[in-house]
Amino acid sequence: MAKEPFFASRTEGEKTSGGRDVEAAEGAHKALELVALRGTEVLGVRHVLDGGACWIGQAPESIARIPMVEYGGHAAVVAEVKEGQFMLHVPPRARGRTHGKDGLGRLVTGPVSLEVEEGDRAVIVLGPVQIRARLVAIEASGKERVRIPNETRRLLTVMGALYVTALALCAAIAPARPERLANGSIRRAIATVTESVASVNTTQEFPRP
């Protein structure tokens, strides 16, 4: 069975996305990758994680701001992820194609919702615009918020309080201003040491050779 154009390799000039096939990654976040195309022109790319959604039409977060007069007349959600289910929504009168990892294809006409599973490929066709969908693995970002256990947070709080207390005690014990030496005290001290050394040299007898 020959592959349809949608399932062929990427065309020249098309941008690649940052996702990888789910089967190729371990411990990464699953995401529903959406790529909006007009011919070979990439209109937008989205990676929808659990709890997220993707719009099409005249919406602030739309993947492709195209007229929706023929497809319901208003912006519509084309994909969303809820509790581990990756759903693709085909707008009214739009066409959709799916190709499962089992090799079976399916043609649909909206409005209809399709669940995308690992290894599946799907596309929504809205006139000259196509929205391709598949599951990918997204690597964890270094900017993700790190969760600190409550016990560790309490320990850090106690250590911080002890450090502040120690600084306060040191400030209270230390003298307000260092005492300055009286004028000529260093000179007198040097003279006293010199006289002592001279006295020792004159009184001590050294054995003659």
Side-chain angles (χ1 to χ4, degrees):
M1 182 177 183
K3 289 186 177 180
E4 297 180 11
F6 169 70
F7 303 110
S9 59
R10 296 182 182 274
T11 57
E12 184 177 357
E14 182 180 334
K15 297 180 181 178
T16 58
S17 63
R20 297 186 297 163
D21 289 336
V22 177
E23 294 87 347
E26 296 181 359
H29 299 294
K30 289 183 181 180
L32 181 58
E33 180 185 75
L34 303 170
V35 181
L37 299 168
R38 182 185 285 115
T40 58
E41 178 189 4
V42 178
L43 303 178
V45 178
R46 295 288 188 277
H47 290 100
V48 186
L49 297 172
D50 198 6
C54 180
W55 292 71
I56 190 170
Q58 300 300 321
E61 299 298 330
S62 174
I63 190 173
R65 297 194 175 192
I66 63 173
M68 297 293 290
V69 177
E70 299 181 7
Y71 310 106
H74 52 78
V77 177
V78 291
E80 61 181 339
V81 182
K82 288 184 178 179
E83 298 179 354
Q85 281 191 319
F86 301 85
M87 302 301 299
L88 195 65
H89 304 299
V90 182
R93 293 186 292 279
R95 293 181 293 116
R97 298 199 303 269
T98 63
H99 192 278
K101 59 183 177 181
D102 54 4
L104 298 178
R106 179 185 176 191
L107 298 176
V108 297
T109 301
V112 66
S113 296
L114 306 171
E115 183 175 1
V116 181
E117 299 180 347
E118 295 182 11
D120 292 350
R121 299 290 189 273
V123 61
I124 298 176
V125 181
L126 304 103
V129 176
Q130 294 185 0
I131 301 178
R132 302 180 181 184
R134 64 169 182 160
L135 288 188
V136 297
I138 302 298
E139 296 294 340
S141 172
K143 296 181 180 180
E144 287 187 347
R145 186 177 179 181
V146 179
R147 296 181 60 87
I148 302 176
N150 293 332
E151 295 78 6
T152 304
R153 187 177 291 116
R154 285 194 294 267
L155 179 60
L156 292 176
T157 302
V158 172
M159 292 179 63
L162 291 176
Y163 180 73
V164 173
T165 303
L167 290 179
L169 289 175
C170 292
I173 295 174
R177 297 180 60 183
E179 297 181 359
R180 299 183 59 184
L181 295 176
N183 293 334
S185 57
I186 296 178
R187 190 182 301 108
R188 289 193 297 270
I190 294 175
T192 301
V193 173
T194 303
E195 292 177 358
S196 300
V197 172
S199 176
V200 171
N201 290 338
T202 55
T203 57
Q204 185 174 4
E205 294 183 0
F206 294 94
R208 295 182 181 179

